[in-house]
Amino acid sequence: MSKDVSIETAEAAAAEKVPYWDPPPAPVLDTSELKKWSLYRALIAEFVATLIFLYVSIATVIGYKAQSNNLQTCTGVGFLGVAWSFGATIFILVYCTGGVSGGHINPAVTFGLFVGRKLSLVRTVLYIVAQCLGAICGAGMVKGVAGGDLYDALGGGANAVAGGFSVGSALGAEIAGTFVLVYTVFSATDPKRTARDSFIPVLVPLPIGFAVFVVHLATIPITGTGINPARSLGAAVVYNMAWKNHWIFWIGPAIGATAAALYHKLVLRGEAVKALGSFRSTSATV
């Protein structure tokens, strides 16, 4: 037993010694970014990634519903396949675009990182605009491929509160689901963790993709799973018949992302304790 304890202690000590750089908080308003090509390259990456995400995921939803409603003779992917489509697509796209834009592909993730002081307000707003435009284009591509009549008959993959669930339940599901996703994003991209695991690059997108997967399993029966305002907006705009309670898919993710960002920043990274200690030291000096 003592040998096992010593091994675990040595491993923990080695992990603690891994050098890493914790970037300073991003300025709230940094207009100098507007002069950098890297920002516009990141915006293009977010636009294209969100377009691909909506195209693949909404097409999967349409195919599943077509099979379920017997409107088409196809082998549907099933409920599990829909969840896997969302999660696997996010895994692929985060892996592909992470080095360019951070691979957000979701306004809730972008907003959470802004709350955590990882992004400036300028970049946050522009990312969200690019993501929403990409989502609308991606959903539009699905409608073009599937055909307008079939697309509309199957609900356009739009999010809505399912029968038997209240608006409060749907809002709670969106808050909880987004919290899980954004909490995973913060944990997977934590500088200390990425420095230790840098030799296995897939360790960042993999848990994020799995988070999307498991949240979809839990909340598809309730709201169809939003947790991504761009995904909800893109499908709603193209379908144009799912605006009732659409606010849930913005307010819920915003609350969940904020809660996850504050939890990671104040509790897991210990900034609340550090701030309290600094306050006590200042008070003692005075």
Side-chain angles (χ1 to χ4, degrees):
M1 177 65 73
S2 59
K3 184 178 180 180
D4 292 339
V5 171
S6 63
I7 292 174
E8 292 176 1
T9 303
E11 289 177 345
E16 289 296 322
K17 293 179 181 179
V18 174
Y20 73 98
W21 178 68
D22 205 355
V28 175
L29 190 62
D30 184 10
T31 56
S32 65
E33 287 187 298
L34 296 172
K35 301 177 182 179
K36 299 177 181 177
W37 162 243
S38 59
L39 171 63
Y40 299 100
R41 182 182 61 179
L43 293 176
I44 295 170
E46 286 294 311
F47 172 85
V48 172
T50 313
L51 183 154
I52 294 171
F53 174 57
L54 263 288
Y55 175 74
V56 173
S57 57
I58 299 300
T60 305
V61 172
I62 294 297
Y64 165 64
K65 287 188 174 181
Q67 186 270 338
S68 299
N69 296 340
N70 293 318
L71 296 177
Q72 248 184 4
T73 55
C74 69
T75 305
V77 295
F79 185 89
L80 185 65
V82 172
W84 177 241
S85 172
F86 279 84
T89 305
I90 286 295
F91 164 65
I92 293 168
L93 293 173
V94 171
Y95 180 80
C96 292
T97 62
V100 179
S101 66
H104 299 186
I105 322 167
N106 184 340
V109 171
T110 300
F111 183 70
L113 292 171
F114 169 71
V115 173
R117 299 294 305 277
K118 305 293 186 181
L119 296 175
S120 69
L121 179 61
V122 171
R123 185 174 287 261
T124 298
V125 172
L126 292 177
Y127 267 34
I128 291 174
V129 171
Q131 291 157 0
C132 290
L133 292 175
I136 293 170
C137 292
M141 286 177 61
V142 177
K143 185 171 184 176
V145 171
D149 293 338
L150 178 64
Y151 182 88
D152 291 339
L154 297 174
N159 292 120
V161 180
F165 292 96
S166 67
V167 170
S169 297
L171 180 62
E174 288 296 309
I175 292 172
T178 310
F179 179 91
V180 172
L181 171 59
V182 178
Y183 169 47
T184 304
V185 169
F186 270 96
S187 298
T189 58
D190 185 277
K192 194 169 187 178
R193 181 184 299 276
T194 53
R196 186 178 64 238
D197 301 335
S198 59
F199 58 94
I200 311 179
V202 297
L203 285 185
V204 172
L206 186 61
I208 296 173
F210 267 106
V212 172
F213 170 67
V214 298
V215 169
H216 273 75
L217 288 179
T219 57
I220 282 178
I222 305 172
T223 62
T225 307
I227 69 171
N228 184 333
R231 174 262 187 270
S232 300
L233 179 67
V237 167
V238 176
Y239 180 51
N240 201 29
M241 288 184 281
W243 295 109
K244 184 179 180 180
N245 297 320
H246 182 72
W247 61 271
I248 290 173
F249 304 104
W250 286 86
I251 302 300
I255 295 174
T258 300
L262 294 177
Y263 173 63
H264 182 270
K265 184 179 180 70
L266 300 179
V267 180
L268 299 186
R269 293 303 301 267
E271 292 194 16
V273 175
K274 293 175 185 177
L276 181 60
S278 178
F279 174 76
R280 286 178 175 175
S281 299
T282 303
S283 300
T285 303
V286 174

